[in-house]
Amino acid sequence: MGDSEYSFSLTTFSPSGKLVQIEYALNAVAQGRPALGIKAKNGVVLATEKKIPSPLVDETTLTKVENLSENIGVVYAGMVPDYRVLLRKGRKSAQQYYTYYRELIPVSQLVREEAAIMQEFTQSGGVRPFGISLMIAGYDDTGPQLFQVDPSGSYFGWKASAIGKNHVNAKSFLEKRYNDDIELEDAIHTAILTLKEGFEGAITAENIEIGVVGEDRKFRTLTPSQVQDYLGEVE
């Protein structure tokens, strides 16, 4: 029997050693809007494409880059409802840590919390894997950090990475542009250029979203006017 015979069971391995539903979840991620992260010497930038499905939609209600805590931000590629679940759980974990220790949660610990939730949904009956990948950026006592978490619950630290549609081409572009001494301002420019590589139509301050965290350890989403200024610098 081939792998397709096992594709409807999340908790049963196929003869080739795969959990096919997780591969399908990765396909859902690959169809999502592109998102990327770049770790600079003095901060981290997250950037994503944010296209409005209809001109009647209130664009202020659609946000892809969000805060998990004061010093940690996240962006996703894949299914929006799944993102809301992980966003709520991540914020709760960060707040519980702060309530207990009176200091901000380390980036790696919050990443582990999110990854543990995603992994739990790969070995439980009656559930399905999360159809998203996360890029988590933060700044703590160990410096700037960037992590990617996939539907299987696996996570890795990255210097720069991309998820969503055209992620392979985006990673190739980042490999050519990235260097260890890159400054945060240059990283923002590189993030915009990477998005432009696979962008359909004209790129504007309204259809991309950028979040940054620097040495002040405050993650923030750039306003459309700030994004427009950066777009002017790269053109």
Side-chain angles (χ1 to χ4, degrees), residues 135-165:
M135 298 288 297
I136 299 177
Y139 204 117
D140 58 21
D141 291 342
T142 59
Q145 295 184 66
L146 174 69
F147 288 90
Q148 178 179 326
V149 190
D150 289 326
S152 63
S154 61
Y155 64 92
F156 299 97
W158 290 80
K159 296 177 180 178
S161 186
I163 52 178
K165 192 178 288 186

Side-chain angles (χ1 to χ4, degrees), residues 18-19 43 73 126 136 157 159 187 196 227:
K18 297 177 181 176
L19 290 172
I136 299 177
K159 296 177 180 178
K196 284 181 77 172
V227 174

